[in-house]
Amino acid sequence: MAHLIAASYPNISGKLCAEISCGFTATLSRPARRTKLKMIHFEGKFERSESKASCCVVHCCSTSSSSSSAAEEVGFVGSGKFGIDRKGEFKYLVSEFGWKVRSLFRNGDEVRRAAQVQAEAFHEPVFLFNDLFFQFFQAEVLSGLVYKLRNSPPNRYACLVAEPTLDTSNSQEDLVGVVDVTVSRDRDVLQHLPSEAEEYLYVSGIAVLKSFRRKKVGSVLLKGCDMLSVEWGFEYLALRAYEDDLGARQLYSSAGYRVVSGDPPWLSTWFGRKRRVLMLKHSKLT
């Protein structure tokens, strides 16, 4: 479980503490690192205080904040053309097949729900104490998402979410899919791009609730990444998929991605890690 988060959130370290609204507290040991981040508090907005203690506490509490304050907490994507602009007008990156994609609302309840979608998608069940391990895993996913939202410039990282086009009375099904998009410059990827390309968009953490799979949610999320690349002015997108995950690879191929390389064979032979392939897409900036 841990390697999935470590790949997406490499900067999280120290003794990590997370409290979720059900009252469960998880303490996760990570490689020690000095940090001044003491608290990220989700109660309608983000707050941070500085301390010498290397502990990060995340509270996920539902609040009855007003709609006006909620609007102020929303982070918008890029220049404001999509998502929530400075005038408060709401727009979507894409709307197709009954689903629409937008940037994540930066309030505690929605961030928690996005983390839950990713945790349910990536959690690997264990025979004993599965519920306990899932709570640990979900707390780590939540902490990683909070870290990226708080420490990434708005034009370098975006968390996109998919929701039904039609309004639903079940708030738990408002978010059915999530994907992370990060500006990156990994040399292992750049070597497959034209020499003039200095950066690209890396797509990761794509997750869809189990009950909504095979309903084009993943396709619409990938289309949202395409639209974001146009908004941010990047020609190339990259992602990685497990070599034996034919379903995911077919999804990415249908979205225009092509395989350009794979992990060295010794990684799977010596360390038993599943082999991944690198897939690239050229986005037309029109």
Side-chain angles (χ1 to χ4, degrees):
M1 297 184 294
H3 71 279
L4 291 170
I5 298 303
S8 299
Y9 310 108
N11 295 322
I12 303 175
S13 59
K15 190 174 181 181
L16 190 61
C17 305
E19 295 181 7
I20 57 179
S21 58
C22 61
F24 170 76
T25 301
T27 302
L28 307 174
S29 297
R30 304 295 300 274
R33 179 188 176 190
R34 292 185 178 180
T35 177
K36 291 185 177 181
L37 184 62
K38 180 181 179 183
M39 179 181 294
I40 302 175
H41 191 191
F42 274 116
E43 287 188 349
K45 63 180 180 180
F46 296 102
E47 297 178 357
R48 184 176 67 176
S49 61
E50 295 186 354
S51 172
K52 295 181 180 179
S54 57
C55 180
C56 173
V57 180
V58 180
H59 299 276
C60 297
C61 307
S62 59
T63 61
S64 57
S65 57
S66 64
S67 58
S68 60
S69 62
E72 296 174 356
E73 295 155 14
V74 174
F76 53 86
V77 177
S79 65
K81 182 178 179 181
F82 302 110
I84 299 293
D85 62 20
R86 295 186 181 278
K87 295 181 180 180
E89 297 177 354
F90 191 84
K91 298 180 181 179
Y92 288 88
L93 284 162
V94 61
S95 180
E96 292 182 357
F97 306 114
W99 311 108
K100 49 192 179 181
V101 175
R102 58 171 171 80
S103 56
L104 179 75
F105 287 0
R106 299 193 178 194
N107 63 56
D109 183 61
E110 178 147 306
V111 172
R112 185 178 68 252
R113 282 189 287 142
Q116 182 177 2
V117 172
Q118 289 185 316
E120 291 181 1
F122 297 137
H123 174 62
E124 299 174 0
V126 294
F127 181 70
L128 295 175
F129 307 110
N130 183 65
D131 291 342
L132 179 63
F133 278 102
F134 174 75
Q135 288 180 318
F136 271 92
F137 185 65
Q138 180 173 297
E140 190 171 5
V141 173
L142 174 60
S143 299
L145 180 56
V146 171
Y147 182 90
K148 279 202 167 187
L149 290 171
R150 289 293 297 162
N151 293 280
S152 301
N155 61 344
R156 304 287 293 182
Y157 168 76
C159 179
L160 305 182
V161 297
E163 60 187 8
T165 301
L166 300 177
D167 293 336
T168 173
S169 58
N170 188 349
S171 60
Q172 296 300 319
E173 295 183 356
D174 284 348
L175 298 189
V176 299
V178 181
V179 65
D180 294 317
V181 187
T182 309
V183 178
S184 185
R185 55 177 69 183
D186 186 353
R187 291 183 180 180
D188 291 338
V189 177
L190 289 175
Q191 66 178 332
H192 299 286
L193 301 178
S195 57
E196 62 270 17
E198 298 180 353
E199 295 179 322
Y200 58 90
L201 290 188
Y202 187 71
V203 178
S204 63
I206 184 168
V208 178
L209 288 177
K210 187 175 297 184
S211 58
F212 291 92
R213 293 174 186 173
R214 300 185 182 278
K215 295 183 179 181
K216 298 290 186 179
V217 177
S219 299
V220 178
L221 282 170
L222 291 173
K223 183 66 175 293
C225 297
D226 294 344
M227 298 302 295
L228 185 60
S229 71
V230 174
E231 170 72 0
W232 285 359
F234 289 93
E235 288 191 57
Y236 298 95
L237 299 96
L239 56 79
R240 287 184 170 87
Y242 287 120
E243 186 177 42
D244 61 355
D245 192 344
L246 301 182
R249 289 181 57 180
Q250 178 60 41
L251 171 66
Y252 303 145
S253 297
S254 300
Y257 290 83
R258 61 183 180 87
V259 176
V260 296
S261 68
D263 288 340
W266 56 266
L267 280 178
S268 57
T269 303
W270 294 358
F271 296 99
R273 194 179 81 176
K274 295 175 64 176
R275 191 168 187 262
R276 302 173 305 167
V277 294
L278 173 65
M279 305 183 73
L280 298 179
K281 177 177 182 178
H282 182 207
S283 177
K284 296 180 181 180
L285 300 179
T286 57

